[in-house]
Amino acid sequence: MKGRRARRSADFSAAASAWSPVCAGAAALRISAAATTRGAALRLDYDFKAAGGFVVARRALRRALPEFYALRFRLRAKGAVNGLELKLVDVSGRNVWRRTWPRLPAGRRWRTIEVPDRELEFAWGPAGGGRPTEIGALEFAIVAGEGGAGTVWIAGLELVERRLPAPRARASSQRRGFEARRVLERGWKPRAGDAQPWVQLDWRKPRELDGLVIEWAGAAPASGFRVRVSDDGRRWKTWYAAARAGGARSYLYLSRAAVRRLRLELGEACAGAALRLPPFEFSRSIESFWHAVAAREPRGAFPRWLLREQSLWTPVGAPDGSGRALMNEDGLVEVGAGSFSLEPMLWLDGRLHTWADVKSKQELHAGWMPLPAVIWSGRGWRLTVRAEATAGRALRVAYRFENRRAAPGAADLFVLLRPFQVTPPWQSFRGFGGVSRIHRLVWREGAVQVNDGARVLVRGAPAAFCATAFDEGPLAVRLAQGEWPQRTAVHDAFGFASGALRFTLRPGAHQAAEVVVCVPPDAEDVCAEPAADWEAALAPAPWNGPGWLEDAARAARTAAAHILALRDGAALQPGPRRYTRAWIRDGVTMGAALLRMGRAREVGDFLRWYALHQRADGFVPCIVDREGADPTVEHDSHGQFLALLADHFRFTRDAAFLEALWPHAQAAVHYIAAARERDGLMPASISHEGYAAQPVHSYWDGFWTLRGLRDAAFLAAALGRKAQARRWLALAAQFGAALYQDIEAIRKQKRLDYLPASREWADFDPAATANALALLDVPPGLDRAALEKTFDRYLADWRRRGRGETDWASYTPYEVRIVGALVRLGRRAEAVRLLRYFLAERRPRAWNQWPEIAWRDPRAPGHLGDLPHAWIGAEYLLALRSLYVYERDDALVLAAGLTPAMLDGEGVRLHAAPTAFGTLGYRLRRLDARRLRFEIAAGVFGRLILRPPLRSAIAGVTVDGAAWREHDARAVTLPGAPAEVIIHERMV
């Protein structure tokens, strides 16, 4: 702040009563006032109580922020070394910016800390980034490092506005009203005869600059320009040089520097320019820079995400997992993971049409295949952009223009090649998300060479091509002005070249014209090969029924297709970009979905591959990717590996495969037995992101461990290892007793009427609790009243959310697994309503997919996790299937989630549905007001439990024409199939 005028706020730390505590887990925080020699201070006494977590001191404070500011405070601390975070929360309470100090050492002396605005990083929220303009709260968070108890004192907290001095200005020449001193306002204009004009600013002392925007009074100088800087006015250094320039503005992405003098030099006569000195956010990152560029240009000139608006995407896939392209809902196609994109624009009726000028809708080929399309509609025309992966792993994109008018049509289709990915920067992960680099574009022999790698081939239509460097101005803006740049090759040192293919389309009345571009995977041209054969790869979902159930079945088929399309070799991955890693947690659910759709081979490949990364002591890593196993400890992983191995065996009865992996199963059980703590449970871990701040004894871990131990005993018995099976069953019984006892102890200690998700937090997490029912049916060890109350509370919250009675920003579609829990609890009507809600929540609906995080505002630029999230798609598939059939350890349960309305007319059918007890087929329909008929085909073995939707209790049952007594008021038990079952209901 030295040498600059500043304006300070009041001391925000002086009034301790204005601050309130927020604590995670068992941690505690007491806020009080303390006296210092320089006035009052805020005293924060914290205690992590031998655990992790965090504590937060929060003060509500609504305040507009100036353009340049800093937060200043004095600090001292006593206790162990822990972390400190300063947070600014916006007025919505959902967006957070922060500055972190990972290690805050203790010390008796006060230290003054100043946090300039540039050091505040966006942390999370639907804004997706940017800088705050108004805050609603300030927070100090103490984050456990070494933990323990301690004290932090904060004093003199103030907001300081930074005011920058006005510079002196000079120029080679100037016109009245547009003198050099006006260059930062209305602009500067040189005299007409000035052949090499320049304008210069001098701040007299160095000031920080974070980039520059030049707004040209006329056209940008074709011969380019230079920006030079100097400390003494004698020795000048070139800060930026553009050999060519174009457009209404020039944008300079410059590394932050302290500059005293700045000069803009032109090599030709110019109409003048205005200089804009943007705030630090402009050059915080290359993505921030591009956001700033897009904000200053016409809407539609750049992809939607550059305007900080969410644009959803979907994969262009093949069954072997070779598809790496993405399409977004506006028709933008990213040709490979983290690569450049193809974007359509249409010159029609004398103007350029972009995504911002049209109505768009989405579709999938045949309503379910991951071969997506986007359809633009305008007055009298339609453009369909359809992408597909070929059998030879090429990407093929077809652009079909339909003239729907009664006269011949004329349009120019532009396909732009630009350095933008489909996924936005708020999704960034290992180079995925945001912008990409194009240094070189060359048009040669009907193809565009991009850098030194990918080629974009043109098929079936003549085309022209142009290429421009970044400094020549936004290509889309130039096309909108009717320009067509003449260069067909360009090298851009900045790395943001753009190009455009132009196709002249002249369809007759009510006719269409189509062009195709293709990106082969290597030098070989495989673009003429057929598309990936999804029909042969994936049979239809075997469950169907009337009305909306057909749409539901198609969505399930897409969910299975996405699991196949997102694989990386044997690895099952939940997402196409952000989540390109293999979690055993995701894999066990995706594997269960594939098995129930008849794709056992991929599950076996995944198990065999994942087992290679098991440690010698039996520990199963939670994540594996191309870099190897992740060291993070999550104690659900061992049980999940055993559960998936057992699921695979139940569906395949492949004893040879089981024998090959048996050493891994034994090792996993031995690890569980050795790792248990004295109370019989697994140690604390971070089995999901919510526990990252404080590892906990998660009951999710416990349920998976119990399932894994039971399944290990089943597998041992299947291989004839009876003694081992008995020992493991006993171990499972001991573990289950300890688990249920711990849950009940926490419920009583905390006086909870619901089932907690962890010991330490006693948190309400019905989606995690629902997992227990999927794994263990309705465990007798859980309090049934508390179990019901858990889902009563969830449904009440869900209904309030739907009615708009609660303020919410986002939720996670993982909640769809609650459908299966409601089915198992006999709450079929609520299960169906909830399932239909999630079916309607597909984003976008026609693409049959769900993100991990669904924002209330679908355009909010908040982190989505990934899209599609194949784990959630798998949960949806299993939830839908549970309406028709689900497995228990000793039986198949049929029709437990169907409702009476589904049985009218033709009723519902299952055709060749894979199950753990063989292949199931049945038909269920209503014969009349009092009778239902179940026709169950041969193919399954073992016990069947029929739970059809009834309007009243069962009065009688016949099986194959004979009276049957194995039933109660709601269910019929059969020893096997085939069978024809007539169920008589009591008169109401």
Side-chain angles (χ1 to χ4, degrees), residues 310-314 329 362 562 801 808-811 813 837-860 864 866-869:
Q310 195 72 263
S311 184
L312 307 176
W313 60 89
T314 200
E329 60 182 306
Q362 299 76 35
H562 281 153
R801 187 172 75 196
W808 63 280
S810 64
Y811 76 95
Y837 166 79
F838 284 110
L839 187 63
E841 280 285 283
R842 290 167 288 174
R843 299 193 178 186
R845 187 174 298 190
W847 280 349
N848 293 341
Q849 60 183 16
W850 294 265
E852 182 183 32
I853 303 168
W855 294 91
R856 184 176 191 174
D857 176 2
R859 293 295 176 213
L864 296 179
D866 214 338
L867 187 66
H869 196 297

Side-chain angles (χ1 to χ4, degrees), residues 717-780:
L719 292 179
R721 294 169 167 83
K722 295 182 180 179
Q724 200 167 38
R726 287 193 295 271
R727 289 196 303 272
W728 289 355
L729 272 178
L731 178 60
Q734 294 170 10
F735 186 87
L739 174 63
Y740 298 140
Q741 181 180 355
D742 201 74
I743 294 172
E744 279 304 298
I746 294 301
R747 275 208 329 112
K748 291 177 181 177
Q749 176 187 339
K750 303 289 187 179
R751 298 181 180 178
L752 307 176
D753 62 353
Y754 61 85
L755 292 177
S758 69
R759 177 194 292 173
E760 286 80 1
W761 288 18
D763 41 328
F764 178 72
D765 189 349
T769 302
N771 193 56
L773 276 67
L775 299 176
L776 308 166
D777 200 47
V778 182

Side-chain angles (χ1 to χ4, degrees), residues 4 56 116 191 257 328 331 360 442 453 480 510 568 586-587 685 689 880:
R4 294 172 178 171
V56 176
R191 292 175 182 168
N328 81 358
S360 295
V442 178
H510 301 293
D568 182 7
D586 299 42
S685 78
E689 295 86 346
L880 174 63

Side-chain angles (χ1 to χ4, degrees), residues 13 55 57 80 124 165 210 212 279 287 354 381 471 633 664 714-715 921 972:
S13 57
V55 296
W124 62 78
D210 295 272
L212 185 66
E287 285 80 17
T354 71
W381 61 270
D471 287 327
V633 175
H664 298 280
F714 160 77
L715 293 174
V972 180

Side-chain angles (χ1 to χ4, degrees), residues 603-747:
V603 181
D605 291 345
F606 174 70
L607 279 164
R608 192 181 295 109
W609 169 77
Y610 210 96
L612 296 175
H613 300 276
Q614 186 181 26
R615 280 190 339 213
D617 64 353
F619 176 87
V620 177
C622 60
I623 306 170
V624 177
D625 58 21
R626 293 193 173 201
E627 298 181 5
D630 192 296
T632 303
V633 175
E634 297 184 359
H635 283 305
D636 52 349
S637 56
H638 329 296
Q640 287 158 351
F641 178 82
L642 292 166
L644 184 56
L645 182 60
D647 208 20
H648 180 268
F649 179 75
R650 287 187 173 101
F651 275 76
T652 64
R653 301 293 160 172
D654 188 341
F657 180 89
L658 179 57
E659 284 282 8
L661 289 187
W662 185 245
H664 298 280
Q666 288 181 299
V669 176
H670 293 159
Y671 180 84
I672 291 171
R676 288 184 308 153
E677 296 180 329
R678 294 181 61 184
D679 59 10
L681 298 183
M682 297 299 289
S685 78
I686 56 169
S687 57
H688 67 68
E689 295 86 346
Y691 297 146
Q694 176 187 339
V696 299
H697 291 83
S698 164
Y699 298 133
W700 167 282
D701 289 358
F703 295 136
W704 274 113
T705 301
L706 180 56
R707 176 75 258 175
L709 290 173
R710 289 183 180 180
D711 280 338
F714 160 77
L715 293 174
L719 292 179
R721 294 169 167 83
K722 295 182 180 179
Q724 200 167 38
R726 287 193 295 271
R727 289 196 303 272
W728 289 355
L729 272 178
L731 178 60
Q734 294 170 10
F735 186 87
L739 174 63
Y740 298 140
Q741 181 180 355
D742 201 74
I743 294 172
E744 279 304 298
I746 294 301
R747 275 208 329 112

Side-chain angles (χ1 to χ4, degrees), residues 150-432:
T151 303
V152 172
W153 291 267
I154 297 169
L157 174 62
E158 59 185 0
L159 177 69
V160 182
E161 181 180 359
R162 300 189 296 162
R163 295 183 177 182
L164 305 179
R168 295 172 179 170
R170 296 174 53 208
S172 59
S173 65
Q174 57 191 20
R175 292 167 53 187
R176 179 175 293 182
F178 297 92
E179 295 84 2
R181 61 186 172 82
R182 298 179 181 269
V183 70
L184 296 177
E185 303 166 359
R186 64 188 302 183
W188 152 79
K189 291 185 179 181
R191 292 175 182 168
D194 195 340
Q196 293 185 318
W198 56 265
V199 64
Q200 176 181 314
L201 298 175
D202 181 357
W203 282 276
R204 298 183 291 283
K205 291 184 178 181
R207 62 151 290 176
E208 290 180 339
L209 287 182
D210 295 272
L212 185 66
V213 179
I214 306 171
E215 296 183 350
W216 303 105
S223 60
F225 59 89
R226 290 191 305 173
V227 175
R228 310 186 74 196
V229 295
S230 173
D231 290 330
D232 57 13
R234 295 188 300 273
R235 293 181 297 275
W236 291 84
K237 179 176 71 172
T238 299
W239 204 22
Y240 190 91
R244 296 169 180 259
R249 300 170 192 83
S250 291
Y251 302 94
L252 279 61
Y253 177 68
L254 303 169
S255 57
R256 184 180 309 154
V259 173
R260 174 178 171 175
R261 295 177 176 86
L262 178 143
R263 177 187 289 183
L264 171 64
E265 298 179 349
L266 309 172
E268 63 181 68
C270 177
L275 300 183
R276 306 299 179 211
L277 308 178
F280 71 93
E281 187 68 24
F282 185 83
S283 291
R284 181 191 287 274
S285 67
I286 191 62
E287 285 80 17
S288 293
F289 171 76
W290 274 105
H291 283 308
V293 171
R296 289 169 168 82
E297 299 296 340
R299 183 175 176 83
F302 293 99
R304 187 191 296 270
W305 66 257
L306 281 163
L307 299 176
R308 298 194 186 278
E309 296 179 15
Q310 195 72 263
S311 184
L312 307 176
W313 60 89
T314 200
V316 183
D320 64 358
S322 62
R324 289 293 179 265
L326 295 181
M327 173 183 276
N328 81 358
E329 60 182 306
D330 297 318
L332 184 72
V333 176
E334 181 185 319
V335 305
S339 70
F340 64 93
S341 60
L342 306 175
E343 183 173 8
M345 295 184 183
L346 199 65
W347 183 271
L348 183 69
D349 298 333
R351 70 182 188 93
L352 189 69
H353 295 72
T354 71
W355 60 264
D357 307 302
V358 300
K359 293 181 179 179
S360 295
K361 69 175 185 177
Q362 299 76 35
E363 66 179 25
L364 295 177
H365 186 61
W368 69 273
M369 298 181 193
L371 306 176
V374 170
I375 302 169
W376 289 4
S377 296
R379 176 178 286 184
W381 61 270
R382 183 164 64 183
L383 177 68
T384 301
V385 183
R386 189 174 301 279
E388 60 187 17
T390 74
R393 300 190 173 191
L395 167 68
R396 189 162 54 214
V397 186
Y399 300 88
R400 178 180 173 83
F401 175 73
E402 298 176 56
N403 175 24
R404 311 181 85 179
R405 299 170 178 173
D412 282 349
L413 170 68
F414 300 114
V415 179
L416 277 66
L417 289 72
R418 296 199 289 183
F420 308 122
Q421 300 177 41
V422 158
T423 56
W426 51 86
Q427 291 289 135
S428 61
F429 174 74
R430 293 183 178 176
F432 299 149

Side-chain angles (χ1 to χ4, degrees), residues 795-876:
L795 290 169
D797 292 344
W798 170 66
R799 293 185 187 104
R800 283 193 292 270
R801 187 172 75 196
R803 293 193 297 262
E805 296 174 359
T806 59
D807 183 25
W808 63 280
S810 64
Y811 76 95
T812 173
Y814 285 130
E815 295 172 12
V816 72
R817 72 167 66 100
I818 292 172
V819 171
L822 295 174
V823 169
R824 288 164 174 82
L825 290 171
R827 301 170 67 164
R828 67 178 79 225
E830 292 167 314
V832 169
R833 282 196 291 272
L834 191 60
L835 181 68
R836 295 192 70 173
Y837 166 79
F838 284 110
L839 187 63
E841 280 285 283
R842 290 167 288 174
R843 299 193 178 186
R845 187 174 298 190
W847 280 349
N848 293 341
Q849 60 183 16
W850 294 265
E852 182 183 32
I853 303 168
W855 294 91
R856 184 176 191 174
D857 176 2
R859 293 295 176 213
H863 176 68
L864 296 179
D866 214 338
L867 187 66
H869 196 297
W871 180 14
I872 291 173
E875 293 280 15
Y876 164 78

